[in-house]
């Protein structure tokens, strides 16, 4: 069956594949959370979340077909967020007294 | 009637479309920093109190959290599909898809309300009725303060997104957009996908820690 035989409003195959992929990644991350991997659980959860976000950005938000200017604008927020996290962790992770006291 | 002429400051509809899209990306950049600050605060205290945060995260309802993630991912898919339908000039199907996506937002909020209610019953709301039997309850209180602020702000974004999607859905269904001009659908879609991306990270930070211990 060729693409042309589908109605015009049919979803492109890439969208359906990414939707399925996102649901598989969701199941995977829940499954991984229950594995006794100690300190590895958090980085794995974050890595899977980043993959999901990247899929949404590239395919659903169409960044892969966007102009270079749009990609720069899309990355700008994350660039400044990176500086925020880098400087903040440079402080908190090197403090002698951690955690910050709460009462 | 679909829009056929660009606004006076634009050379053509294509340029108007590109500028609208770029404007939404600027807004999203500010939103990344808005939620980023919250997530930074969470990360600092999670590094400080790993056990307290793990114990607190175990008290959240992962079944509702995972269902809500699947709901938002599906609604994002429908919105992305609506954009492709609008691009090929299929206004009506695009309107229906956007409407269903907005309805999934209602389901998301309904499940969130059930979750909030059960947390209220379990005395997990800081500043209202917080009391847990734990050696060190303070970090658990801190986690739930983050939980309510982050999910509350996210829910506000969902409500705004639903209203926008509903409005655009009606316009699309009435044939207001064409294959040449459908910038409002593309821009609303970008916003909705961003709300989805925020939830993807909140899900990992709120529901997943401490499940294996």
């Amino acid at each position: 069956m060729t693409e042309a035989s589908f109605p015009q409003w049919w979803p492109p195959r890439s969208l359906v594949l990414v939707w399925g992929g996102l649901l598989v990644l969701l199941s995977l991350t829940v499954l991984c959370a229950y594995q006794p991997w100690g300190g590895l659980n958090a980085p794995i959860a974050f890595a899977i979340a980043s993959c999901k976000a990247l899929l949404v950005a590239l395919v659903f938000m169409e960044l892969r077909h966007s102009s270079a200017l749009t990609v720069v604008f899309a990355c700008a927020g994350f660039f400044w967020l990176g500086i925020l996290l880098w400087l903040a962790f440079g402080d908190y992770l090197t403090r002698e007294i951690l955690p910050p006291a709460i009462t | 009637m679909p829009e056929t002429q660009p606004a006076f400051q634009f050379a053509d509809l294509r340029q108007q479309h590109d500028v609208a899209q770029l404007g939404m990306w600027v807004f999203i950049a500010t939103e990344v920093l808005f939620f980023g600050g919250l997530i930074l605060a969470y990360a600092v205290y999670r590094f400080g109190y790993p056990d307290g945060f793990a114990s607190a995260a175990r008290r959240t309802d992962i079944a509702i959290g995972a269902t809500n993630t699947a709901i938002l991912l599906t609604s994002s898919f429908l919105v992305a599909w609506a954009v492709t339908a609008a691009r090929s000039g299929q206004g009506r199907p695009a309107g229906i898809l956007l409407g269903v996506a907005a309805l999934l937002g209602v389901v998301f909020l309904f499940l969130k309300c059930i979750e909030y209610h059960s947390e209220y019953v379990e005395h997990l709301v800081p500043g209202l009725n917080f009391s847990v039997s734990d050696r060190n309850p303070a970090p658990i209180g801190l986690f739930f303060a983050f939980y309510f602020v982050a999910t509350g702000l996210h829910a506000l974004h969902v409500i705004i997104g639903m209203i926008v999607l509903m409005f655009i859905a009606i316009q699309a269904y009435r044939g207001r957009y064409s294959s040449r001009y459908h910038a409002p659908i593309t821009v609303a879609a970008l916003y909705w996908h961003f709300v989805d991306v925020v939830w993807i990270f909140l899900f990992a930070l709120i529901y997943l820690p401490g499940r294996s211990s």
Side-chain angles (χ1 to χ4, degrees), chain B residues 75-123:
Chain B
S75 121
S76 234
F77 160 70
L78 294 178
V79 169
W81 179 5
V83 170
T84 62
R87 193 174 294 138
S88 54
Q90 305 286 313
R92 245 167 206 231
I96 293 169
L97 288 168
L98 291 170
V100 176
L103 285 180
L104 285 178
V106 177
V107 178
F108 174 91
L109 289 174
F110 176 71
L111 289 176
K112 202 79 215 125
C113 287
I114 293 178
E115 209 181 343
Y116 281 162
H117 178 256
S118 68
E119 275 138 12
Y120 176 77
V121 171
E122 288 165 34
H123 299 280

Side-chain angles (χ1 to χ4, degrees), chain B residues 134-147:
Chain B
D134 195 273
R135 233 173 349 102
N136 190 6
I140 298 180
L142 210 54
F143 174 92
F144 276 98
F146 168 81
Y147 165 83

Side-chain angles (χ1 to χ4, degrees), chain B residues 31 35 39 150 154 193-203:
Chain B
E31 289 274 75
F35 281 101
I39 288 172
H154 179 266
H193 295 315
F194 173 74
V195 171
D196 186 23
V197 167
V198 171
W199 182 259
I200 287 172
F201 283 106
L202 289 184
F203 175 70

Side-chain angles (χ1 to χ4, degrees), chain A residues 6 9 23 42-43 56 58 85:
Chain A
F6 289 112
W9 48 270
L23 293 179
V56 171
L58 288 178
L85 296 177

Side-chain angles (χ1 to χ4, degrees), chain B residues 33-46:
Chain B
L33 289 168
F34 175 72
F35 281 101
L38 258 178
I39 288 172
L40 169 66
Y42 166 93
V44 166
Y45 281 99
R46 184 169 164 188

Side-chain angles (χ1 to χ4, degrees), chain A:
Chain A
M1 213 186 241
T2 60
E3 289 276 340
S5 60
F6 289 112
Q8 250 191 321
W9 48 270
W10 217 249
R13 189 189 288 168
S14 61
L15 291 187
V16 180
L17 285 177
V18 166
W19 177 42
L22 286 169
L23 293 179
V24 169
L25 283 174
L26 169 63
S27 320
L28 189 69
T29 194
V30 172
L31 207 68
C32 287
Y34 284 91
Q35 307 308 313
W37 292 333
L40 277 179
N41 282 107
I44 289 173
F46 184 75
I48 295 178
S50 303
C51 287
K52 282 154 79 184
L54 204 63
L55 277 176
V56 171
L58 288 178
V59 182
F60 285 180
M61 295 170 107
E62 300 185 327
L63 267 189
R64 63 189 179 135
H65 297 313
S66 296
S67 66
L69 185 67
T70 309
V71 175
V72 168
F73 274 60
C75 293
F78 290 96
F79 175 73
W80 291 109
L81 179 65
I83 293 177
L84 175 74
L85 296 177
W86 168 44
L87 293 179
F89 285 124
D91 175 357
Y92 282 107
L93 295 184
T94 53
R95 282 192 188 198
E96 292 195 357
I97 301 172
L98 198 90
I102 52 169
T103 48

